[in-house]
Amino acid sequence: MTTAKNKNHVALANKALPSEIYPEGHELERHIDQSTYRFSIARTKNLSTADKARVWEIFEDNMKNLYENSSWGWKPATKRKEIFHSQSRFILVHLLGKGSNAPSLVAYAIFRFDHEENMEDEMEEVLYCYEVHVSRDVQRSGLGKELFRDMEAIARKWGMKKVMLTTFTNNTQARSFYEKIGFSIDPTSPSAICEWRKNNTSASDNNTSEEEQDGEGEDEEFDYEIYSKVIQ
């Protein structure tokens, strides 16, 4: 089981100030694809009005259609509560303007430090990524990879075992990206649990009815998958 000492990692991380989250010496201003970006950490309460509005604008632009085509449906009030939860941490990426142009928010990640139960009924300390979004006009510039590198570095600093995330099953582009950067389907994901049950249920079990046995080979469909990457 997880030791009491390990359980303190989440508590300590959740108490940390935004300025303490990144590992020491982490580069906060970066030149990527011929542009200069500033990376910063904020809690919900630290977001400016403009950044908060922009976070929602990018999210809606990228995700509304996927939600509308899922069994979850598009529920903006519920999603706003999740995104702007008091424990949410934001990695904000601002494109630095030239001259009088103010920096503009073009990408971000939202994560929390938390405990997740594994298949052995143990609680693991994880950095759970709730959202990663890049504005359409700067997509494919490498910002997504930078955000995940940052989350992995943060997870490592604070002693988290994994980085985890949830994604729509039909978001094939996102799933391909996660797999390319080292993520795989977590054992607690619906499809993995379904596969585990198939492999661990005997058709000769006296407690299993013929109707249940007949349905065991059928493939179930799920709206989402859970991905994870172990932090070394």
Side-chain angles (χ1 to χ4, degrees):
M1 295 293 291
T2 307
T3 65
K5 180 180 179 181
N6 284 340
K7 289 181 180 178
N8 286 335
H9 291 154
V10 168
L12 288 171
N14 281 329
K15 290 178 182 178
L17 297 172
S19 59
E20 299 172 327
I21 294 297
Y22 269 128
E24 287 186 20
H26 207 73
E27 187 178 3
L28 300 181
E29 190 169 302
R30 305 173 205 173
H31 300 283
I32 304 168
D33 195 27
Q34 300 183 341
S35 295
T36 303
Y37 300 91
R38 184 181 66 228
F39 287 67
S40 62
I41 299 282
R43 284 185 179 273
T44 298
K45 65 181 181 181
N46 305 127
L47 292 175
S48 68
T49 301
D51 280 349
K52 194 171 184 179
R54 183 65 175 144
V55 163
W56 181 257
E57 180 184 6
I58 295 173
F59 171 79
E60 186 174 33
D61 187 43
N62 286 350
M63 298 299 294
K64 184 178 180 180
N65 185 58
L66 285 168
Y67 274 92
E68 287 178 335
N69 290 303
S70 75
S71 62
W72 295 353
W74 175 244
K75 300 175 183 177
T78 300
K79 196 62 190 181
R80 280 181 183 273
K81 287 182 180 179
E82 179 187 287
I83 287 176
F84 299 114
H85 188 277
S86 61
Q87 290 295 335
S88 292
R89 302 275 188 168
F90 295 77
I91 303 178
L92 304 174
V93 183
H94 288 87
L95 175 63
L96 300 184
K98 297 179 180 179
S100 60
N101 293 330
S104 59
L105 182 65
V106 295
Y108 63 87
I110 303 173
F111 66 90
R112 300 183 202 170
F113 298 106
D114 213 339
H115 294 92
E116 289 289 325
E117 189 173 359
N118 63 22
M119 293 297 288
E120 287 72 44
D121 297 325
E122 297 173 338
M123 300 305 290
E124 295 181 327
E125 295 187 309
V126 305
L127 183 154
Y128 210 107
C129 170
Y130 280 76
E131 306 290 341
V132 173
H133 293 293
V134 178
S135 177
R136 291 182 186 274
D137 55 339
V138 291
Q139 287 179 0
R140 300 186 181 278
S141 62
L143 290 175
K145 288 183 180 179
E146 289 290 315
L147 286 166
F148 273 100
R149 288 193 193 103
D150 282 15
M151 284 188 284
E152 290 174 32
I154 291 166
R156 190 173 296 108
K157 172 182 175 177
W158 292 97
M160 302 297 115
K161 185 173 181 180
K162 294 178 178 177
V163 175
M164 299 183 71
L165 61 89
T166 302
T167 187
F168 282 116
T169 304
N170 63 354
N171 193 351
T172 55
Q173 185 175 350
R175 293 179 63 182
S176 176
F177 170 71
Y178 300 143
E179 290 165 7
K180 284 180 180 177
I181 61 174
F183 281 76
S184 58
I185 292 178
D186 192 79
T188 61
S189 189
S191 67
I193 292 175
C194 183
E195 189 65 26
W196 181 89
R197 286 174 177 164
K198 286 180 183 178
N199 294 335
N200 287 274
T201 301
S202 172
S204 62
D205 190 334
N206 293 331
N207 295 321
T208 304
S209 68
E210 288 186 12
E211 290 82 2
E212 290 174 320
Q213 291 175 22
D214 289 341
E216 281 171 7
E218 296 177 3
D219 290 330
E220 294 185 54
E221 294 185 0
F222 306 99
D223 271 348
Y224 70 95
E225 294 283 8
I226 299 171
Y227 278 75
S228 66
K229 183 175 182 179
V230 174
I231 300 301
Q232 303 295 334

